[in-house]
Amino acid sequence: MTDEEADALDEKWTKDPPKPGQNGTGFFKRRNVAHMVAIDDISAKYLQSKVMASHKTPMEIIREMIQKEIATAV
């Protein structure tokens, strides 16, 4: 993409931003992400290594970890 194309695209979306649909729009709505949290650097590196080894998304890995935690608590 050239600088001119990037500027034209930026201007288009600035002047006429996309309108949300009935159920919302965008990455977070499509992925059904309910919450966003911050994690420390060690946790992020651990999660990234699990992502690389398992070829799963961070959300899948976190979900599995939480489900295991819940299962052992019951």
Side-chain angles (χ1 to χ4, degrees):
M1 178 180 290
T2 66
D3 287 340
E4 292 80 19
E5 292 170 330
D7 290 340
L9 189 59
D10 178 59
E11 187 172 327
K12 177 193 180 324
W13 289 116
T14 301
K15 288 183 178 179
D16 186 26
K19 309 282 186 282
Q22 183 177 3
N23 295 325
T25 185
F27 172 79
F28 292 107
K29 269 300 193 187
R30 288 193 307 269
R31 300 278 302 189
N32 296 321
V33 175
H35 303 281
M36 185 178 283
V37 297
I39 57 175
D40 60 72
D41 192 51
I42 292 171
S43 300
K45 287 179 181 179
Y46 175 80
L47 184 57
Q48 187 63 35
S49 68
K50 297 290 272 183
V51 165
M52 299 294 282
S54 68
H55 303 290
K56 295 180 181 178
T57 66
M59 186 167 51
E60 291 171 322
I61 293 169
I62 293 169
R63 183 184 315 120
E64 290 172 1
M65 292 170 69
I66 292 171
Q67 288 172 346
K68 285 179 189 175
E69 184 72 23
I70 292 170
T72 58
V74 176

